[in-house]
Amino acid sequence: LQLHRDSTVQSITVQPTISGGRVGYADSALVRAVRHGRVLVVDEADKAPTNVTSVFRTLLDTGSMWLADGRKIVPAGSTSDDMSEIVCHPDFRAIFLANRPGF
């Protein structure tokens, strides 16, 4: 996932798609990694606005996060039949890459 100064919380959680001439939304790489227990590599983390990086911190600290479409990521080990909740897979990991200040 490549971050930049124009990254928004919505841009890191959902991706606009076009299917059959209609605009829809699909899960982003972040949501897919959380759901399936993959490793997410986040590049240029130092370039993102503070509100975007704070969302990542909250997710990694608490295991939960609200998505723009009303769904919620809940911590690993949670059990839910609610389709609006995405259980964080216990194998989910994130690697953040950033440049030294001034580069």
Side-chain angles (χ1 to χ4, degrees), residues 4-51:
H4 48 79
R5 64 184 177 152
D6 296 325
S7 294
T8 63
V9 173
Q10 184 168 350
S11 71
I12 64 169
T13 57
V14 294
Q15 295 175 322
T17 61
I18 297 177
S19 178
R22 293 183 171 229
V23 175
Y25 294 92
D27 289 342
S28 68
L30 168 63
V31 177
R32 289 192 312 268
V34 165
R35 184 187 303 266
H36 300 293
R38 297 183 181 142
V39 176
L40 178 72
V41 178
V42 180
D43 192 20
E44 303 285 350
D46 57 308
K47 303 284 192 273
T50 306
N51 66 318

Side-chain angles (χ1 to χ4, degrees), residues 75-90:
S78 299
T79 56
S80 175
D81 293 331
D82 188 349
M83 294 301 292
S84 67
E85 291 186 345
I86 300 167
V87 178
C88 184
H89 195 284

